Amino acid sequence: DGELAGGAVWNYVQDDVKLQAYGADDDHAYFQNGNEFSFMVWDFEADVEYDAEFAFPELEDQENPDRWVADGESWVEIMGFSMDWPVIEFNQGWNLFSLWVTPGVEYQNEDGEPTIEAMIAQFELEDVSLLNIIKDQDGHFAIPGRFDNIVVWDPMQAYYANFNEAVAGEWDGRTIPAQTPIPLEGGWNYVPYLPSYELDASSPDFAVLGDFTEFVIIARDDHGGFMVPIEDFSTMGDWTPGEGYQIAVS
């Protein structure tokens, strides 16, 4: 009947979580035997709520009821995600950018991996490419129609792209949770900005870095702004969706 009758908190790194679903009583119209389940996911950071797909897998050693049973127990696989359609405005020349989505199936190869070729295809016109070159933090690069040793697009990286004129890029995909851990190496990294909202990067709080502040030696954007947390210094304002950032970590 649309009434919340249970829940749990998942912190993105847990494999399994125990969710309590409550039976009806005199004060609450919760579950009764035989009622069907439905699930929703709320992303605290983005303050977004969306429907979730779910399935009850077959278990070898016990029944797995797909409806509510008093004092019962079920295993359920919940696939909760939202879709988004990033649009990024590129300047002529170099741009450090990132996406906050995992690109959709139309960008993926047969192994389910998004490819650089598919991601940049929109910039190739009939007789010219608006994109000159794109490169990653490891020195790999792709020149449309000529060379590509990046091959697979990594959503956990930002990319430098050079355009011969101002242009907009559009993609679609599954939203990456804002608190998803980003793997970093010692030294410089091209880091994506995963939230779909802005966060303050000014001193003295460096809110965008949170508990990671102590590990950051220096961070800089594509517009001349930079921060040095140990010196309590920043010329940055807000970090914004679509931008990429260079971060040096210890």
Side-chain angles (χ1 to χ4, degrees):
D1 297 326
E3 183 168 355
L4 179 64
V9 175
W10 177 54
N11 65 7
Y12 300 113
V13 296
Q14 295 169 283
D15 290 328
D16 301 320
V17 63
K18 188 172 184 178
L19 186 153
Q20 300 281 352
Y22 301 105
D25 57 26
D26 293 338
D27 298 320
H28 303 94
Y30 290 160
F31 285 106
Q32 297 182 7
N33 282 328
N35 284 164
E36 294 182 346
F37 293 104
S38 62
F39 298 92
M40 299 190 74
V41 174
W42 177 48
D43 185 329
F44 171 78
E45 287 291 327
D47 193 22
V48 174
E49 184 179 74
Y50 41 87
D51 293 325
E53 298 179 9
F54 59 94
F56 292 85
E58 293 186 7
L59 303 179
E60 293 182 359
D61 55 350
Q62 68 182 71
E63 294 185 1
N64 195 32
D66 61 0
R67 295 171 183 259
W68 193 86
V69 178
D71 299 319
E73 181 178 280
S74 299
W75 283 90
V76 59
E77 297 173 344
I78 300 175
M79 290 70 75
F81 59 84
S82 62
M83 297 291 294
D84 206 346
W85 294 262
V87 177
I88 298 178
E89 299 288 341
F90 294 101
N91 297 316
Q92 182 181 21
W94 287 104
N95 301 257
L96 182 60
F97 78 103
S98 65
L99 302 179
W100 58 95
V101 300
T102 298
V105 294
E106 64 268 38
Y107 306 103
Q108 299 174 8
N109 59 23
E110 59 185 13
D111 296 321
E113 300 171 319
T115 68
I116 286 290
E117 181 181 10
M119 293 293 288
I120 65 177
Q122 62 185 291
F123 303 117
E124 296 183 58
L125 306 182
E126 184 174 345
D127 56 353
V128 67
S129 173
L130 301 179
L131 174 67
N132 297 317
I133 188 173
I134 183 171
K135 61 181 183 179
D136 66 16
Q137 67 182 24
D138 299 315
H140 303 126
F141 64 96
I143 300 174
R146 295 174 56 189
F147 181 81
D148 176 11
N149 67 355
I150 303 177
V151 184
V152 174
W153 173 275
D154 182 1
M156 294 295 103
Q157 276 199 48
Y159 291 86
Y160 255 119
N162 183 280
F163 293 89
N164 56 37
E165 63 179 62
V167 64
E170 302 181 25
W171 295 269
D172 67 75
R174 186 176 66 197
T175 303
I176 302 171
Q179 290 191 347
T180 299
I182 299 172
L184 300 177
E185 302 174 353
W188 284 103
N189 298 262
Y190 290 178
V191 177
Y193 184 70
L194 298 181
S196 57
Y197 46 88
E198 297 182 346
L199 283 173
D200 182 34
S202 63
S203 64
D205 295 329
F206 305 102
V208 69
L209 299 179
D211 295 336
F212 194 68
T213 303
E214 64 181 293
F215 302 103
V216 175
I217 300 170
I218 186 172
R220 60 192 185 197
D221 61 26
D222 201 29
H223 311 288
F226 67 100
M227 64 164 71
V228 185
I230 196 171
E231 300 291 341
D232 195 23
F233 178 83
S234 176
T235 62
M236 292 178 161
D238 293 338
W239 285 22
T240 59
E243 295 282 341
Y245 296 88
Q246 295 184 66
I247 297 181
V249 297
S250 55

